[in-house]
Amino acid sequence: MKTEITVLYVDDEPINLFLFSQIFENKFTVITAESGYAGLHIIENHPVIDVVISDMKMPGMNGIEFIQKAKERYSKIHYYILTANDITPEIDNALKTGLIDKYFRKPFKLQEIEFAIKERINSMI
């Protein structure tokens, strides 16, 4: 039974990557990427990723676009969006179609994210 959970956090803001890593490093193995393109590269090279949390608004490829590409090849990973904005039609559609499991609002609540991840992973064991 796997007890270690590996989370990939994708955000174009270096401070957000740093803070997320600092906050969750004692709870999960955290890997970060500064763009959707970097996130795709990491997923391809780290087959142990259980969860992806992506910022929504990023240059080049937004969070939903990144997750669509990632989920095409890596459908067993659990995907989440983190956004500073209210839910958009694009995020709502991603929830309804099962592209993402949940979305979180910035500033995020540590317990909300931790609970959602552990609940989803434990339901798969």
Side-chain angles (χ1 to χ4, degrees), residues 1-124:
M1 178 161 77
K2 186 174 181 179
T3 57
E4 185 72 25
I5 297 170
T6 302
V7 177
L8 170 63
Y9 177 56
V10 182
D11 196 309
D12 62 311
E13 297 289 334
I15 188 68
N16 291 341
L17 296 172
F18 174 77
L19 290 172
F20 189 93
S21 293
Q22 292 297 301
I23 290 168
F24 288 105
E25 70 182 358
N26 293 326
K27 308 216 177 270
F28 310 115
T29 300
V30 177
I31 301 170
T32 61
E34 71 282 354
S35 70
Y37 298 105
L40 290 171
H41 179 74
I42 289 170
I43 291 170
E44 289 173 11
N45 293 292
H46 289 83
V48 297
I49 293 173
D50 301 294
V51 172
V52 171
I53 300 176
S54 178
D55 184 30
M56 179 60 185
K57 199 170 184 183
M58 298 183 290
M61 181 186 321
N62 74 27
I64 296 294
E65 293 166 337
F66 157 64
I67 290 170
Q68 284 172 329
K69 290 180 184 299
K71 196 161 187 171
E72 284 175 10
R73 294 187 58 200
Y74 306 96
S75 60
K76 295 197 184 307
I77 295 173
H78 300 283
Y79 296 91
Y80 301 87
I81 284 288
L82 182 60
T83 182
N85 303 313
D86 288 329
I87 191 167
T88 64
E90 192 175 16
I91 294 171
D92 187 50
N93 186 55
L95 285 165
K96 287 178 180 170
T97 61
L99 181 67
I100 60 174
D101 293 333
K102 188 175 177 114
Y103 92 104
F104 305 106
R105 289 283 313 268
K106 289 180 183 178
F108 63 83
K109 296 174 181 74
L110 174 127
Q111 294 85 0
E112 180 184 16
I113 290 178
E114 181 181 0
F115 177 78
I117 290 171
K118 287 183 176 177
E119 179 183 53
R120 179 62 63 187
I121 295 298
N122 288 337
S123 73
M124 303 304 290

